[in-house]
Amino acid sequence: MEYCFVLVLLLLSHLGLSSQIVPPLYRYDDYDRCRQGDYSGTYCFVKVVYEEDHDPFDTPRIVTGFRRNLLDWGICVADCERELTGLSVTNRERLYQPMFPINFTYILPSDLWNEYLDPFKTRYGEMINICVNNRLERQYIFNRKAYSEIEYCTSKDELGVSAQAPDWLMFAFYITVLTLLGLLMGANVIDSMSRSKFKDHIIVSSFSVRRNWHRLTEQPKGALYQEFGYIDGLRVLTCVIVLDIHCLLAGGIVPMQNTEYAERLLESGFLIDYITTSIVAIQIFFVIGGLLLTVTVMDDLGGKSYFERGYFKTRILNRLIRIIPVYFFFLLISVVGDDFPGVQVGAVGYKSLIQERAICRKKWWTNVLFIDNLPVFGDEHCSSQGWYLAADLQLFLATLVLLAVICKYPKRPDIVLWLSGVVGIAIPAAIVYYLGLESSLPVKLSDVQFMFMNQPWHKFVYMPGYSNWDSYMAGVVVGYLYHQHKHNKLNLDDSWLYKLAKKARLPLLAFAYLPTFIFYRYEVPRSSWLTTTHAILYRNAGVIAVSITFIECFRNPPGRVRNFLTSSPMISLGKLCYSVYVLHVPVTRLVLNWFPPMIELSLRDGLWMLPSLAVVSYLAAVLVYICIELPASLVLKHYILRVRKRNVE
């Protein structure tokens, strides 16, 4: 699918690459020269807002462009001081623009940096305000005055008291890394000694690179793999789509020269439909989660009407052991990444590293508790990929409760499943209707600048676990049908509902995803039945199609596609998908830090960036899987689950 986007770029390349919006949305003074210039080297990132005669976003139509009256400028204080030398008091008063009412989010909250910004605002706030208006008037012949507000500053003098993460966090990172290196080195040295009596110790076995490589490349032989081994290969393809979409979003976050070209790209209805359809990739992961959980729990139940003592606690512990080590390690990297030796944070590094660090210092606890995806905890999110892990864990726990209810009332599973499915469909539809939100993923460059943090659709519909219950529930239904098919010889060919769903899946996909661009072209009222109906189709058509495909897979022998997905390379790559998902955002942020302050969006960049991110992420994931994910999982399961099992017995 990544090459579909490249094709669109190729078709639209005639629009031109050099077009610019005036005044420029992004403008950055030379960061390195500023830092090396005078004694203070003060450099400030400033949000500039001016009033417009008409707000283009005041419409039910989805407006894809930037807010042209919101400028993101980097200001070298020394340059401003030189430019204002000799400016009369009268002109200074004329150029100064006090704050006026602003009805949209234009700046990150200042409390992210505690009191760090106060001295900068006191000393330079008014001067930068005047300087910006002086530049607008003289360099861009702009006849409106703008309000300027400092978002963040760096400095070499006494004002630059460190806003870095506390020293203990960096200390904790180094201790973690050194501990891992020590265990890896010691384990592999012992593993190479053929006569060592410690060779079979759990620490040695878990941290042995040779054994972990074998575990990565070996082909599973269990009964569950025989039926669902292709899911690992499907994970790989779906994960690549997620990486590509995130790569495209990164292109909208990093300051660019040809902003008008980016706006023109999104005038393509085909590109809008392609990007909005990407939500299916995340839904596939949720469906897979519900499917595999249901199948394993039903198999463990083995026809009994009760679960063994402590069964659910063990499953929850298994889940946490699986996800916490890698996730928390890269969460720590998000806090201390800009302190790494050799990382010189520049203009782009502020957006890619410092903003993330500031948010994580405030909101880290929501990630640790896996609740960062809930709207009640605000707009700013630490570790932007963490929302999925939180939602997935919440749905995992809710599904365990659901399966316990089905186990308790085995004669009424159809009622429980039907009721749960209706609730899953109704929740996002009700949210869209009562909050007056868009029916589909709103693609707006104005929201990409803030990583969608202030976008209501993402906050209330996309990220919460309860809004994705329909996807997870679909997997539960497929898992239950598989269990019935396997043990009770269920014949779905006798079901008129299943026959209808099979015939309707392609028309549903067409009605759900092809008309999405209409909401970008026309003013379709929000909170209308048309919008709500499309929201229901948009949220569920892909889920239905994927679920039917899974059902057909366990009802029919494998063909070429499934044989490819269950091939040894795809199975091995599938084991890496979790590490890839967790690490790709921090790695991308570190790479973006080295980008020049102003990039130019082009076809050439799209041709190499999209596949490159996937290749680099999977190569890095091999190291993470062998050195962190697998060893930590094996050791924790050995010591925690074995001790717990002994205590239960």
Side-chain angles (χ1 to χ4, degrees):
M1 291 185 70
E2 65 193 57
Y3 296 103
C4 293
F5 175 74
V6 173
L7 177 61
V8 172
L9 284 179
L10 182 62
L11 293 175
L12 297 178
S13 60
H14 69 278
L15 294 174
L17 295 173
S18 60
S19 55
Q20 291 184 346
I21 298 172
V22 179
L25 301 184
Y26 300 102
R27 167 176 168 154
Y28 293 93
D29 295 343
D30 191 313
Y31 181 85
D32 294 329
R33 181 183 57 80
C34 182
R35 296 283 290 171
Q36 298 169 3
D38 66 341
Y39 71 95
S40 70
T42 304
Y43 192 97
C44 293
F45 299 92
V46 179
K47 295 294 185 181
V48 181
V49 187
Y50 62 87
E51 291 185 282
E52 290 185 307
D53 298 329
H54 170 70
D55 184 2
F57 290 85
D58 186 19
T59 172
R61 180 174 65 86
I62 301 176
V63 180
T64 60
F66 294 99
R67 286 191 180 273
R68 297 197 176 193
N69 64 329
L70 174 60
L71 315 180
D72 192 329
W73 284 16
I75 303 292
C76 180
V77 169
D79 289 348
C80 273
E81 290 175 339
R82 283 191 293 269
E83 291 173 18
L84 298 182
T85 301
L87 197 66
S88 66
V89 175
T90 303
N91 275 329
R92 286 175 178 265
E93 292 176 349
R94 178 181 64 84
L95 290 172
Y96 179 73
Q97 172 62 55
M99 185 178 184
F100 53 82
I102 303 173
N103 62 355
F104 58 88
T105 301
Y106 66 96
I107 195 170
L108 290 176
S110 59
D111 64 358
L112 289 178
W113 291 274
N114 298 322
E115 289 77 34
Y116 171 74
L117 284 180
D118 293 345
F120 290 102
K121 290 184 175 182
T122 301
R123 181 177 295 187
Y124 303 121
E126 181 177 338
M127 186 266 290
I128 287 177
N129 186 301
I130 296 170
C131 176
V132 167
N133 281 312
N134 185 56
R135 290 182 178 183
L136 289 172
E137 184 178 282
R138 295 180 180 274
Q139 298 178 17
Y140 302 105
I141 316 177
F142 193 68
N143 57 7
R144 300 190 182 193
K145 290 192 296 182
Y147 167 72
S148 301
E149 185 173 339
I150 294 174
E151 186 174 62
Y152 184 79
C153 289
T154 63
S155 176
K156 295 188 298 183
D157 68 0
E158 71 278 1
L159 292 186
V161 177
S162 178
Q164 310 289 329
D167 290 341
W168 67 269
L169 288 173
M170 180 57 76
F171 179 75
F173 174 78
Y174 282 128
I175 289 296
T176 302
V177 172
L178 291 175
T179 301
L180 287 172
L181 289 175
L183 290 172
L184 285 166
M185 292 175 62
N188 284 279
V189 169
I190 295 175
D191 187 51
S192 64
M193 300 177 181
S194 57
R195 297 183 179 181
S196 174
K197 63 180 181 179
F198 298 107
K199 190 171 183 178
D200 293 325
H201 191 277
I202 183 62
I203 299 293
V204 176
S205 173
S206 300
F207 282 90
S208 168
V209 172
R210 177 182 59 84
R211 301 188 199 186
N212 286 343
W213 177 259
H214 175 71
R215 292 170 181 136
L216 173 62
T217 56
E218 70 178 343
Q219 198 91 344
K221 296 179 175 60
L224 188 62
Y225 165 76
Q226 299 300 323
E227 290 284 0
F228 298 105
Y230 67 91
I231 284 180
D232 275 336
L234 180 62
R235 281 196 182 109
V236 176
L237 301 180
T238 308
C239 190
V240 170
I241 294 174
V242 172
L243 295 181
D244 288 346
I245 294 299
H246 287 179
C247 185
L248 299 180
L249 295 180
I253 297 169
V254 177
M256 65 182 73
Q257 287 183 332
N258 50 343
T259 48
E260 191 169 323
Y261 175 68
E263 289 187 332
R264 290 185 180 182
L265 280 177
L266 287 180
E267 291 176 1
S268 163
F270 178 84
L271 182 56
I272 288 174
D273 285 347
Y274 166 70
I275 296 177
T276 54
T277 306
S278 64
I279 188 177
V280 177
I282 295 297
Q283 291 179 320
I284 290 175
F285 281 119
F286 283 133
V287 174
I288 290 173
L291 165 61
L292 296 182
L293 176 60
T294 303
V295 170
T296 53
V297 170
M298 298 294 282
D299 282 351
D300 292 342
L301 186 61
K304 300 190 297 289
S305 59
Y306 64 92
F307 288 97
E308 299 290 340
R309 179 187 174 189
Y311 174 78
F312 287 112
K313 290 182 179 179
T314 301
R315 289 209 65 92
I316 294 171
L317 282 174
N318 261 309
R319 187 73 165 191
L320 294 176
I321 289 171
R322 167 79 171 82
I323 63 179
I324 280 179
V326 173
Y327 180 39
F328 283 12
F329 180 79
F330 282 96
L331 190 63
L332 187 58
I333 287 180
S334 296
V335 180
V336 302
D338 59 307
D339 276 339
F340 288 160
V343 175
Q344 301 295 324
V345 176
V348 178
Y350 161 69
K351 282 185 169 293
S352 60
L353 296 177
I354 294 180
Q355 288 183 358
E356 176 85 349
R357 182 202 68 198
I359 296 171
C360 285
R361 290 176 64 199
K362 290 286 185 180
K363 299 288 187 71
W364 62 269
W365 60 274
T366 62
N367 295 73
V368 170
L369 296 177
F370 293 94
I371 54 176
D372 55 296
N373 65 320
L374 300 178
V376 69
F377 297 109
D379 295 323
E380 296 79 28
H381 298 280
C382 165
S383 182
S384 55
Q385 75 277 31
W387 77 267
Y388 170 80
L389 302 179
D392 189 65
L393 182 61
Q394 293 158 14
L395 293 170
F396 173 85
L397 297 175
T399 301
L400 287 180
V401 175
L402 178 69
L403 294 174
V405 172
I406 293 176
C407 173
K408 186 175 180 63
Y409 303 101
K411 295 183 179 180
R412 297 294 182 184
D414 52 340
I415 295 178
V416 176
L417 293 175
W418 270 106
L419 181 60
S420 300
V422 170
V423 170
I425 294 173
I427 288 175
I431 293 173
V432 167
Y433 182 81
Y434 286 106
L435 296 184
L437 303 180
E438 300 87 350
S439 62
S440 63
L441 171 71
V443 183
K444 301 179 181 179
L445 290 169
S446 57
D447 290 331
V448 176
Q449 290 178 300
F450 287 93
M451 287 289 294
F452 296 106
M453 289 187 296
N454 305 293
Q455 168 45 248
W457 193 90
H458 282 76
K459 181 178 179 180
F460 294 103
V461 179
Y462 185 67
M463 294 194 299
Y466 53 78
S467 295
N468 292 283
W469 177 240
D470 52 346
S471 301
Y472 218 86
M473 191 61 216
V476 173
V477 171
V478 175
Y480 180 79
L481 292 177
Y482 167 76
H483 186 269
Q484 294 298 309
H485 170 80
K486 180 179 178 182
H487 296 282
N488 299 327
K489 307 302 181 184
L490 175 66
N491 186 5
L492 290 173
D493 290 331
D494 295 334
S495 170
W496 65 269
L497 181 59
Y498 182 69
K499 292 179 182 178
L500 178 62
K502 281 181 64 176
K503 294 179 180 179
R505 54 181 166 173
L506 290 180
L508 284 176
L509 290 173
F511 283 118
Y513 303 121
L514 294 181
T516 305
F517 74 93
I518 293 175
F519 295 88
Y520 292 76
R521 297 287 183 267
Y522 305 101
E523 296 187 353
V524 180
R526 308 276 175 84
S527 299
S528 65
W529 286 110
L530 178 60
T531 301
T532 306
T533 302
H534 182 255
I536 294 173
L537 286 172
Y538 178 78
R539 293 283 307 178
N540 295 283
V543 171
I544 293 172
V546 170
S547 300
I548 292 174
T549 302
F550 283 146
I551 293 173
E552 288 298 294
C553 284
F554 69 68
R555 295 180 70 231
N556 298 287
R560 291 182 178 179
V561 174
R562 285 165 63 188
N563 286 333
F564 167 72
L565 294 177
T566 54
S567 62
S568 182
M570 295 301 288
I571 294 296
S572 297
L573 291 174
K575 296 176 184 178
L576 300 174
C577 284
Y578 174 66
S579 291
V580 168
Y581 179 78
V582 174
L583 70 83
H584 82 275
V585 173
V587 169
T588 302
R589 288 181 180 275
L590 287 169
V591 172
L592 287 177
N593 175 64
W594 298 102
F595 273 47
M598 300 285 282
I599 67 169
E600 187 172 8
L601 185 64
S602 67
L603 173 62
R604 180 190 60 192
D605 294 332
L607 286 172
W608 70 266
M609 286 182 64
L610 298 180
S612 295
L613 176 61
V615 172
V616 171
S617 296
Y618 270 95
L619 289 176
V622 173
L623 294 176
V624 173
Y625 182 83
I626 290 177
C627 300
I628 301 177
E629 180 181 346
L630 192 54
S633 177
L634 293 172
V635 171
L636 291 175
K637 285 182 179 179
H638 176 82
Y639 285 110
I640 295 178
L641 296 183
R642 190 182 69 170
V643 170
R644 187 179 183 281
K645 182 178 180 181
R646 186 185 303 138
N647 292 337
V648 170
E649 293 173 350

